[in-house]
Amino acid sequence: MDGENTFKQWKKQCLNKIDFSKKGSVDEAISNIVSCLNDSDNYFTTSSCSGRIILIDGVSDSTDIQKQNCSWLFVTHQKCEKADLCAGLEKSVGDAVLKFEPFVLHVQCKQLEDAQRLHSVAINSGFRNSGLTVGKKGKIITAVRSTHCLEVPLAHRGKVLVDEGYIDFLVGVANQKMEENHRRIERFYDCLQSSFREKIGKCYSEGETKEKSVYKRRRKRTEEHSKRDFCENVKRHTESELEDDFESGLSLFD
Amino acid sequence: MDGENTFKQWKKQCLNKIDFSKKGSVDEAISNIVSCLNDSDNYFTTSSCSGRIILIDGVSDSTDIQKQNCSWLFVTHQKCEKADLCAGLEKSVGDAVLKFEPFVLHVQCKQLEDAQRLHSVAINSGFRNSGLTVGKKGKIITAVRSTHCLEVPLAHRGKVLVDEGYIDFLVGVANQKMEENHRRIERFYDCLQSSFREKIGKCYSEGETKEKSVYKRRRKRTEEHSKRDFCENVKRHTESELEDDFESGLSLFD
């Protein structure tokens, strides 16, 4: 029972911590997911963000990739407006970059089997860059992640490099990504509840909607193909690992 | 010994497969890493890409996020030139997007301890989105990944939305990312060799260069801080999980 008590202790310590984030609270769009996990005996969340569109101002000509000295010109966890971006860009004095960053979640899990279940939920919901970490002290974390992103330089040394027409188009692209992000969050919550009910890590097995899981889509394609496509199937099976990383659907394997 | 024989069999099957990737061979920049892993008894690589700058043409007004129908207008695993990009853009008939995608590697590992060791190597080298997958049949994969990216829409319905000055600037940004990517690949190879020699999953412990590992940097910061910074340390420890996902260095936690 030592492992169980250790996990309970870790959970208690973590959930009692003060929220030091800039925002100071859990993002609304994912509060149901966070509650669902923290109410379970086998999980607790350690960090999360529902996704955001941010305009950051980095130091020009900096080689520091981590950009620890960026300032925030604008941030939203919802869709954005062209006026917000333009207003933010006016304040730029360095290299302004617009980024879309999707939902991300870190969850500590009691046992490996719990982590695997949550990992399946994440993959089935479209968060295909998700993975586990297993620490030396037995700490098991599932990180829910996606490659779904946008990163667009817009200003250099405070000078805006694009016209308003481009900013308008970009706002549309960023908002589409935010919409897709919210759809995937809903899918994640549905899959999570399904998983808790069935404890088998699958979802959409009953009353399946048109939106099929990635795993089901792959299996269906495999069944439909003829021998001519056998080689193509082998390629897809192994390349699907890289597809999970490259959402452009283009992949390589060795 | 069943597990050992199963792993050997998986490895033999995988390494005997035909390379169906568009390129048909392992990228040169990582051939040493791939060889090093495949020569070891405890690992074999299942897919890899050294990183690339690609210009893809997607279907305009498409809601298919996976963009399975993209065509490649241009691709390189090295730095690119403005002329390449301009030539590619002239061929665009849909929504052209420039992307930088960093080194990615999937490695099947014999035991969890091997996967953890490789995961540490990846994290220490700057591939901070790396993680493990543990399948139901005991298949353990370490995915080496980074958030380091660029994704810039450049044309809509075949019409280029930016001027040549912007393309010029963008080429510089993409090339900087490719340079950083190559530096991290070298660091990964060095760490990997160190790890194989010492079997402790750490690197840079002797003859340490100015480039410190992420873990060492965090520990050093912790030792130097006073009580005033105690709360800041708690925040950093938990927020560092999200920093690993958001390279902008801005993070939230719940």
Side-chain angles (χ1 to χ4, degrees):
Chain A
M1 271 298 178
D2 252 2
E4 178 133 5
N5 285 336
T6 309
F7 182 79
K8 277 185 180 164
Q9 226 172 347
W10 273 334
K11 180 166 180 169
K12 192 177 170 186
Q13 280 169 2
C14 184
L15 297 184
N16 285 342
K17 274 188 204 154
I18 303 168
D19 184 342
F20 283 113
S21 67
K22 286 183 198 267
K23 190 160 164 285
S25 60
V26 174
D27 298 331
E28 198 186 320
I30 54 171
S31 59
N32 53 355
I33 290 173
V34 169
S35 299
C36 186
L37 288 163
N38 288 335
D39 286 346
S40 157
D41 290 336
N42 302 341
Y43 301 102
F44 62 93
T45 61
T46 58
S47 53
S48 67
C49 177
S50 64
R52 58 193 185 187
I53 296 169
I54 57 174
L55 184 66
I56 57 173
D57 212 24
V59 176
S60 290
D61 309 310
S62 162
T63 55
D64 179 10
I65 297 296
Q66 290 196 15
K67 299 194 188 302
Q68 293 291 344
N69 297 321
C70 286
S71 56
W72 292 19
L73 300 175
F74 168 73
V75 62
T76 179
H77 296 279
Q78 302 299 329
K79 293 189 198 180
C80 64
E81 308 263 336
K82 179 177 143 192
D84 300 322
L85 233 61
C86 291
L89 278 171
E90 278 178 19
K91 297 181 281 180
S92 166
V93 295
D95 284 8
V97 181
L98 180 77
K99 293 192 178 197
F100 167 76
E101 292 167 346
F103 171 50
V104 68
L105 178 70
H106 293 95
V107 185
Q108 192 164 336
C109 313
K110 190 194 272 184
Q111 298 187 72
L112 191 57
E113 156 193 335
D114 302 312
Q116 286 170 291
R117 186 179 310 124
L118 189 58
H119 185 242
S120 294
V121 166
I123 296 293
N124 284 344
S125 314
F127 297 101
R128 299 183 298 171
N129 249 20
S130 303
L132 314 184
T133 307
V134 182
K136 284 173 189 168
K137 294 180 185 177
K139 194 169 157 186
I140 306 167
I141 304 271
T142 299
V144 178
R145 296 194 201 107
S146 173
T147 47
H148 192 206
C149 78
L150 198 64
E151 181 160 332
V152 187
L154 290 177
H156 179 51
R157 294 179 186 159
K159 178 174 179 291
V160 180
L161 304 170
V162 296
D163 60 29
E164 278 203 23
Y166 182 75
I167 293 174
D168 201 40
F169 177 71
L170 200 60
V171 162
V173 173
N175 287 343
Q176 266 187 343
K177 290 193 185 263
M178 186 57 86
E179 278 172 23
E180 174 60 22
N181 179 57
H182 284 147
R183 276 194 290 269
R184 289 182 190 185
I185 286 172
E186 281 175 29
R187 221 146 70 210
F188 183 89
Y189 182 60
D190 290 343
C191 276
L192 185 64
Q193 290 198 297
S194 226
S195 165
F196 279 177
R197 277 193 305 266
E198 298 172 20
K199 289 209 175 170
I200 53 171
K202 292 178 185 134
C203 67
Y204 294 125
S205 50
E206 292 165 14
E208 194 167 307
T209 65
K210 281 187 187 173
E211 290 176 52
K212 293 177 165 52
S213 74
V214 172
Y215 283 172
K216 280 188 182 287
R217 193 162 48 234
R218 281 186 201 145
R219 282 201 298 273
K220 192 173 198 279
R221 280 208 302 252
T222 303
E223 284 152 19
E224 286 167 358
H225 286 159
S226 64
K227 191 179 180 205
R228 175 183 64 79
D229 295 325
F230 176 75
C231 292
E232 190 67 17
N233 281 344
V234 170
K235 176 179 78 166
R236 278 205 187 118
H237 174 69
T238 40
E239 285 189 333
S240 65
E241 290 173 326
L242 275 168
E243 278 176 21
D244 289 353
D245 286 277
F246 296 155
E247 286 212 8
S248 57
L250 310 166
S251 51
L252 302 169
F253 98 91
D254 54 74
Chain B
M1 271 301 179
D2 252 2
E4 177 129 6
N5 284 338
T6 309
F7 182 78
K8 275 183 181 165
Q9 227 172 348
W10 274 333
K11 179 165 180 169
K12 192 175 171 189
Q13 281 168 3
C14 184
L15 297 184
N16 285 343
K17 274 188 204 158
I18 303 168
D19 185 343
F20 283 112
S21 67
K22 285 183 199 262
K23 191 160 164 282
S25 60
V26 175
D27 298 331
E28 199 187 321
I30 53 171
S31 60
N32 54 354
I33 290 173
V34 168
S35 299
C36 185
L37 287 163
N38 287 333
D39 286 345
S40 156
D41 290 335
N42 302 340
Y43 302 102
F44 62 92
T45 60
T46 59
S47 52
S48 66
C49 177
S50 64
R52 57 194 186 188
I53 295 170
I54 57 175
L55 184 66
I56 58 174
D57 212 24
V59 176
S60 291
D61 310 310
S62 163
T63 53
D64 178 12
I65 296 294
Q66 290 196 15
K67 298 192 192 295
Q68 293 290 346
N69 297 321
C70 286
S71 56
W72 292 20
L73 300 176
F74 168 72
V75 62
T76 179
H77 296 278
Q78 303 298 330
K79 293 189 199 180
C80 65
E81 307 263 336
K82 179 177 142 190
D84 300 321
L85 233 60
C86 292
L89 279 171
E90 277 177 22
K91 296 182 281 180
S92 167
V93 297
D95 285 8
V97 180
L98 180 77
K99 292 192 179 198
F100 167 76
E101 291 167 347
F103 171 50
V104 68
L105 178 71
H106 292 97
V107 185
Q108 192 164 335
C109 312
K110 190 194 274 184
Q111 297 188 71
L112 191 57
E113 155 192 337
D114 302 311
Q116 287 169 291
R117 185 178 310 122
L118 189 58
H119 185 241
S120 294
V121 166
I123 297 290
N124 283 345
S125 314
F127 296 101
R128 299 182 300 170
N129 249 20
S130 303
L132 315 183
T133 308
V134 181
K136 286 173 186 167
K137 293 179 184 176
K139 192 169 159 191
I140 305 167
I141 304 272
T142 298
V144 178
R145 298 193 199 106
S146 172
T147 48
H148 192 207
C149 78
L150 198 65
E151 179 160 334
V152 187
L154 289 177
H156 179 53
R157 294 178 185 161
K159 178 174 180 292
V160 180
L161 305 169
V162 296
D163 60 28
E164 278 202 24
Y166 182 74
I167 292 174
D168 201 41
F169 178 71
L170 200 59
V171 162
V173 173
N175 288 342
Q176 267 188 341
K177 290 196 185 259
M178 185 57 87
E179 277 173 22
E180 174 62 21
N181 180 58
H182 285 146
R183 275 192 292 267
R184 290 182 190 184
I185 285 172
E186 281 174 29
R187 221 146 70 210
F188 182 89
Y189 182 60
D190 290 344
C191 275
L192 185 63
Q193 291 199 297
S194 224
S195 165
F196 279 175
R197 275 194 307 265
E198 298 172 18
K199 287 208 179 174
I200 54 173
K202 292 179 187 140
C203 66
Y204 295 125
S205 49
E206 292 165 14
E208 194 168 305
T209 66
K210 282 186 185 171
E211 291 175 54
K212 294 178 166 50
S213 74
V214 172
Y215 283 172
K216 281 187 180 289
R217 191 161 51 231
R218 283 188 200 145
R219 281 200 298 274
K220 193 171 195 282
R221 278 206 304 249
T222 304
E223 285 152 18
E224 287 168 357
H225 287 161
S226 65
K227 192 179 179 204
R228 173 183 66 79
D229 295 324
F230 177 75
C231 292
E232 191 65 19
N233 280 345
V234 171
K235 175 178 80 165
R236 277 203 187 121
H237 175 70
T238 41
E239 283 190 333
S240 65
E241 292 173 323
L242 275 168
E243 278 175 23
D244 289 350
D245 286 278
F246 296 155
E247 287 213 6
S248 56
L250 310 167
S251 51
L252 304 169
F253 98 89
D254 54 76

